[in-house]
């Protein structure tokens, strides 16, 4: 499942300090946004290769190639859900259709109400990073991020905004919502990168 030590066991292991959660709790800050299809668009902007914005309506986004990824979700509050089947549009598809400029090193993923999370381009451009529209073959519910949420299986789950509306390609790193509020800039659960005070030089912009 893409992390050291799990190969060949057929079973995901829990990262340090995590416990297994059965069922699917709802965890987020703020209210659940209402989906308005006529106003919704998925926007890629910032340091794009051609300098233009790329926008998809909900209908267009829903028609992009669909793939599934089975992955674990690790919340920094210490619960993990194992073996979740997500379906949706791979981040790599977005990178192909709306390519970044060569100088783009990071992305900011933007969601409703200005929620955001920053990622290194290498984390965004990972084979298992997915803009999920479905879980276990069913459309996401409103509280779990309908119509689109990001899933970055190898990072803590706050790095995957629900209700995503866009991606900003950046030529330098900048902190997102939780990264500005004390959470680690990288957020690797296997290294227990929970809080910003744990950051080593080079792991995040000055606080
Ligand atoms: N827009 C938005 N997305 C968010 C959050 C949030 O506060 N706002 N919280 C994150 C956190 S901390 C977790 S653990 C997961 C929880 O997803 P779930 O509610 O579907 O279990 O959503 C992530 N995505
Ligand atoms: Mo979380």
């Amino acid at each position: 499942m893409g992390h050291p030590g799990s190969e060949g066991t057929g079973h995901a292991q829990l990262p340090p300090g995590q416990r297994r959660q059965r069922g699917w709790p709802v965890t987020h800050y703020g209210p659940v946004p209402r989906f308005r299809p006529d106003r919704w668009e998925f926007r890629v902007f910032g340091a794009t290769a051609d300098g233009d914005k790329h926008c998809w309506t909900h209908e267009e986004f829903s028609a992009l190639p669909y793939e599934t990824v089975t992955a674990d979700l690790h919340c920094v509050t210490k619960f993990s859900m194992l073996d979740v089947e997500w379906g949706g549009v791979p981040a790599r598809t977005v990178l192909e259709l709306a390519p970044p400029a060569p100088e783009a090193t990071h992305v900011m993923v933007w969601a409703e109400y200005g929620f955001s999370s920053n990622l290194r381009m290498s984390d965004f451009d990972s084979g298992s990073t997915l803009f999920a529209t479905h879980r276990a073959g069913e459309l996401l519910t409103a509280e779990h991020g309908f119509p689109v949420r990001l899933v970055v299986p190898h990072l803590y789950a706050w790095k995957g905004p629900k209700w995503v509306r866009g991606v900003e390609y950046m030529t330098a790193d900048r902190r997102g919502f939780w990264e500005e509020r004390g959470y680690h800039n990288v957020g690797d659960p296997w290294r227990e990168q929970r809080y910003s005070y744990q950051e080593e030089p080079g792991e995040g912009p000055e606080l």
Side-chain angles (χ1 to χ4, degrees):
M1 294 259 314
H3 53 76
S6 69
E7 287 85 355
T9 66
H11 264 286
Q13 312 262 316
L14 285 171
Q18 296 292 110
R19 61 190 138 67
R20 182 169 191 181
Q21 168 83 45
R22 290 171 205 276
W24 193 6
V26 173
T27 313
H28 60 262
Y29 175 82
V32 174
R34 190 159 63 92
F35 173 57
R36 297 188 214 77
D38 47 318
R39 291 203 219 157
W40 191 94
E41 60 175 13
F42 187 103
R43 203 155 67 99
V44 180
F45 63 104
T48 57
D50 60 8
D52 288 340
K53 283 184 228 161
H54 298 251
C55 292
W56 288 279
T57 64
H58 184 243
E59 201 179 348
E60 289 164 345
F61 194 83
S62 306
L64 294 178
Y66 180 92
E67 284 182 30
T68 60
V69 168
T70 298
D72 306 333
L73 181 150
H74 307 297
C75 176
V76 71
T77 64
K78 300 201 167 178
F79 71 82
S80 293
M81 294 190 334
L82 304 184
D83 293 323
V84 185
E85 191 207 284
W86 302 103
V89 181
R92 282 186 179 165
T93 301
V94 170
L95 286 165
E96 273 165 37
L97 296 174
E103 311 84 75
T105 53
H106 293 79
V107 307
M108 190 72 80
V109 179
W110 289 98
E112 301 284 357
Y113 301 134
F115 184 87
S116 60
S117 186
N118 58 315
L119 296 165
R120 299 177 294 202
M121 186 59 84
S122 55
D123 291 317
F124 187 69
D125 187 9
S126 147
S128 52
T129 299
L130 186 77
F131 288 99
T133 53
H134 291 70
R135 191 228 175 177
E138 307 217 341
L139 273 180
L140 294 173
T141 57
E143 60 271 26
H144 287 299
F146 179 82
V148 181
R149 72 182 291 164
L150 186 68
V151 172
V152 190
H154 62 284
L155 300 178
Y156 283 119
W158 87 77
K159 288 287 190 182
K162 303 193 275 192
W163 314 296
V164 174
R165 291 293 301 275
V167 177
E168 178 185 358
Y169 295 145
M170 306 195 293
T171 55
D173 200 4
R174 222 167 67 217
R175 289 174 192 272
F177 183 87
W178 288 120
E179 295 82 4
E180 275 185 336
R181 289 167 175 77
Y183 288 92
H184 197 285
N185 191 58
V186 177
D188 180 347
W190 300 96
R191 298 192 176 142
E192 248 193 301
Q193 294 175 333
R194 296 179 191 273
Y195 307 111
S196 52
Y197 65 74
Q198 300 171 293
E199 286 172 19
E200 311 265 354
E203 285 181 338
E206 295 279 302
L207 270 165

